[in-house]
Amino acid sequence: MTETLDTGWAIRWLQGCAEVIAAHREELMNLDRAIGDADHGENMDRGFQAVIQKLSETPPESPGAAFKLTAMTLMSKVGGAAGPLYGTAFLRAATAVGEVPELDGTLLSTALTAARDGIVARGKAEVGDKTMIDAWTPAVEAAQKAAAQDPSGVVAVLEAAALAAEAGAVATDPLVARKGRASYLGERSAGHRDPGAASTALLLRAAVDAAGSADSADAGAPA
């Protein structure tokens, strides 16, 4: 079982992000159409396709470098609120991990916490506002708990974060939005999932899948 995550994982994760966002592009647009301006899926897809292009042009030498490249690309390519918010998240994560070649569970939890805190600082949202923070905060809390229990269990940290984010995204369905464009709808925003929370859950699940693919490759390698 993988006990640390290296640059290869970071690249696989970002590639997985591009794939899962492309696969769910219409779903995210439909979620945003109900309570926003319908462009979340399109913007995220364009942003992560640009990230993949940048990765091929300038392969990163550390997980932090991969996160920083992603941050800069999303900030320049993604419109609406998502670009600055996700860009800030990846930039804060990059700063948190620095130039270390591999991440253990503790450092991974630190990176996720920094990413969430960056989103909060940029968007001024809190749990219950019906934003991506409703997925990010439970994900961070679950990651912190998992890392405290087993600092070397990076896959367990990622899995805990992804499960909590998925539950958090679902939990936005009945909420009345208090931030962003959706807040203009008032009570009419209830009954719809927040698109940012939904995309957060997709990205964190992609991180788990990227770590799992490394384990599969290791298991199949000749002794």
Side-chain angles (χ1 to χ4, degrees), residues 143-210:
Q144 291 172 341
K145 182 177 179 179
Q149 292 174 343
D150 182 6
S152 67
V154 290
V155 176
V157 171
L158 288 175
E159 179 66 28
L163 285 172
E166 288 159 355
V170 172
T172 66
D173 290 5
L175 297 179
V176 174
R178 299 194 297 237
K179 290 285 184 179
R181 186 181 293 269
S183 65
Y184 302 153
L185 297 177
E187 295 291 336
R188 288 178 295 158
S189 64
H192 302 283
R193 187 160 306 170
D194 178 70
S199 62
T200 294
L202 292 174
L203 298 186
L204 291 179
R205 177 54 60 186
V208 179
D209 293 341

Side-chain angles (χ1 to χ4, degrees), residues 4-44:
T4 59
L5 299 172
D6 59 11
T7 309
W9 164 79
I11 293 172
R12 287 192 306 276
W13 176 29
L14 296 169
Q15 291 170 335
C17 288
E19 292 170 2
V20 75
I21 291 297
H24 292 268
R25 175 178 177 273
E26 292 296 329
E27 175 188 336
L28 293 173
M29 290 175 68
N30 287 335
L31 290 176
D32 199 24
R33 182 173 292 112
I35 58 175
D37 49 12
D39 64 354
H40 187 64
E42 180 179 356
N43 286 340
M44 292 290 287

Side-chain angles (χ1 to χ4, degrees), residues 108-154:
L108 179 61
S109 172
T110 298
L112 291 173
T113 302
R116 188 276 312 274
D117 291 349
I119 295 171
V120 171
R122 191 78 186 238
K124 311 300 182 186
E126 58 186 36
V127 172
D129 284 344
K130 198 183 182 84
T131 71
M132 62 175 66
I133 291 301
D134 288 296
W136 270 102
T137 289
V140 164
E141 292 173 349
Q144 291 172 341
K145 182 177 179 179
Q149 292 174 343
D150 182 6
S152 67
V154 290

